[in-house]
Amino acid sequence: MNVYVVEYTTPRTPPLRERKVEADDFAVRDTFVEFTTADGRKVFSVRAETVVTIAKMAPEPPTT
């Protein structure tokens, strides 16, 4: 599972929000960006027009 950091705008204060999403993949579907797991379950959805950045975080190093 990957961790994505999604920055998006909102009409509220603060106008820029950030959310960490654990998902296997994301895709643009119609007017939304949908984050899903490998079995197709939707984890998070946001309007594509509000997305500022999507960044994939580096995996954490294994602990011994």
Side-chain angles (χ1 to χ4, degrees), residues 3-7 26 53-57:
V3 177
Y4 296 96
V5 176
V6 183
E7 285 185 319
F26 68 92
T53 60
I54 299 173
K56 184 177 175 182
M57 294 182 66

Side-chain angles (χ1 to χ4, degrees), residues 7-52:
E7 285 185 319
Y8 58 98
T9 60
T10 65
R12 299 183 216 120
T13 302
L16 187 63
R17 302 251 173 139
E18 181 178 286
R19 180 168 177 168
K20 288 185 181 178
V21 179
E22 289 187 27
D24 289 305
D25 198 14
F26 68 92
V28 177
R29 301 202 196 297
D30 296 322
T31 60
F32 288 88
V33 177
E34 295 181 351
F35 293 82
T36 57
T37 60
D39 63 0
R41 186 175 56 90
K42 191 185 321 180
V43 178
F44 179 64
S45 181
V46 63
R47 288 194 173 275
E49 65 196 27
T50 67
V51 173
V52 177

